[in-house]
């Protein structure tokens, strides 16, 4: 028991931004990870996880028979790296959170090869991939948004509130101006 507990590394923080998304086919937008964020993970063990579900699955040789997530990055060492988590179903239906662990080489600078990260469903049947998470450690944790997502949400709410305040101030100014010009109206 001691060896098992000693070897567990749990992170929890999601480094993949804007990942509260899903796909039922192929998409290049299940989240983003800036190069500078990815480079903070060099030399560390990371876990990539996502939720997958499928129904009506039957094996089909014309398909890859898998669903999951993958990010393509190029290292300054000249190698391409694909970090992701995949499920190859062996039952007609199911739902689970899957994960894969990677250790990114230390001393390598990484460049993300595409703007959004890939979600992919290539099965005979229907499937869904959602809630991707990239975290430090060798154990997956439940999905949570990146801290930057919460800040962006808050910033957007503040901006929307400020626009409403500006509109109300403008409306009041217009009413006063209209009164001085002899225009009167009923306001809801």
């Amino acid at each position: 028991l001691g060896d098992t507990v000693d070897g567990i590394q749990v992170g929890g923080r999601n480094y993949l931004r804007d990942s509260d998304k899903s796909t039922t086919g192929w998409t290049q937008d299940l989240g983003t990870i800036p190069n500078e964020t990815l480079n903070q993970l060099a030399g560390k063990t990371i876990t990539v996880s996502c939720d997958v579900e499928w129904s009506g699955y039957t094996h089909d040789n014309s398909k890859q028979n898998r669903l999951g997530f993958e990010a393509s990055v190029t290292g300054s060492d000249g190698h391409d790296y694909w970090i992701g988590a995949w499920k190859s179903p062996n039952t007609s239906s199911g739902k689970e959170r899957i994960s894969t662990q990677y250790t990114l080489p230390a001393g390598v600078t990484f460049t993300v090869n595409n703007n959004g990260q890939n979600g992919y469903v290539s099965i005979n049947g229907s499937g869904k991939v959602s809630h991707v998470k990239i975290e430090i450690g060798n154990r997956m944790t439940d999905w949570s948004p990146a801290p930057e997502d919460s800040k962006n949400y808050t910033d957007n709410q503040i901006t929307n509130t400020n626009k409403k305040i500006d509109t109300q101030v403008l409306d009041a100014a217009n009413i006063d101006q209209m009164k001085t010009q002899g225009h009167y109206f009923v306001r809801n």
Side-chain angles (χ1 to χ4, degrees):
L1 180 64
D3 291 339
T4 302
V5 172
D6 290 342
I8 294 177
Q9 303 166 0
V10 178
R13 182 218 195 276
N14 192 351
Y15 287 90
L16 189 68
R17 298 178 186 175
D18 196 25
S19 64
D20 189 10
K21 297 180 177 178
S22 66
T23 186
T24 56
W26 179 87
T27 186
Q28 198 173 18
D29 189 23
L30 280 185
T32 58
I33 187 164
N35 292 332
E36 61 273 8
T37 302
L38 181 63
N39 287 313
Q40 293 172 11
L41 304 177
K44 298 179 179 165
T45 298
I46 61 170
T47 296
V48 178
S49 60
C50 61
D51 293 325
V52 294
E53 57 186 281
W54 65 96
S55 62
Y57 170 75
T58 57
H59 185 83
D60 182 342
N61 287 332
S62 69
K63 300 192 180 280
Q64 291 182 333
N65 296 297
R66 66 182 189 159
L67 61 162
F69 164 84
E70 186 171 74
S72 170
V73 299
T74 299
S76 60
D77 59 358
H79 291 97
D80 289 324
Y81 297 87
W82 290 269
I83 55 174
W86 293 99
K87 174 69 179 180
S88 295
N90 56 12
T91 60
S92 64
S93 63
K95 180 178 181 177
E96 62 186 272
R97 185 152 188 87
I98 59 171
S99 68
T100 306
Q101 288 72 41
Y102 299 88
T103 300
L104 297 174
V108 175
T109 301
F110 296 97
T111 302
V112 178
N113 290 330
N114 47 4
N115 272 340
Q117 305 313 311
N118 296 326
Y120 194 58
V121 175
S122 179
I123 61 172
N124 187 27
S126 59
K128 179 180 170 183
V129 178
S130 61
H131 293 122
V132 179
K133 186 171 187 178
I134 297 175
E135 61 189 308
I136 293 174
N138 62 7
R139 294 289 186 262
M140 73 175 165
T141 59
D142 291 339
W143 178 84
S144 59
E148 297 84 358
D149 294 345
S150 298
K151 181 185 179 325
N152 289 341
Y153 175 78
T154 302
D155 288 350
N156 287 340
Q157 292 300 92
I158 290 169
T159 298
N160 289 340
T161 301
N162 285 341
K163 285 179 183 176
K164 288 178 184 175
I165 291 169
D166 289 345
T167 301
Q168 289 174 353
V169 169
L170 178 61
D171 286 348
N174 285 345
I175 291 169
D176 290 341
Q177 181 184 11
M178 293 174 118
K179 285 180 184 176
T180 62
Q181 295 174 356
H183 297 281
Y184 295 93
F185 58 92
V186 177
R187 201 170 154 197
N188 292 339

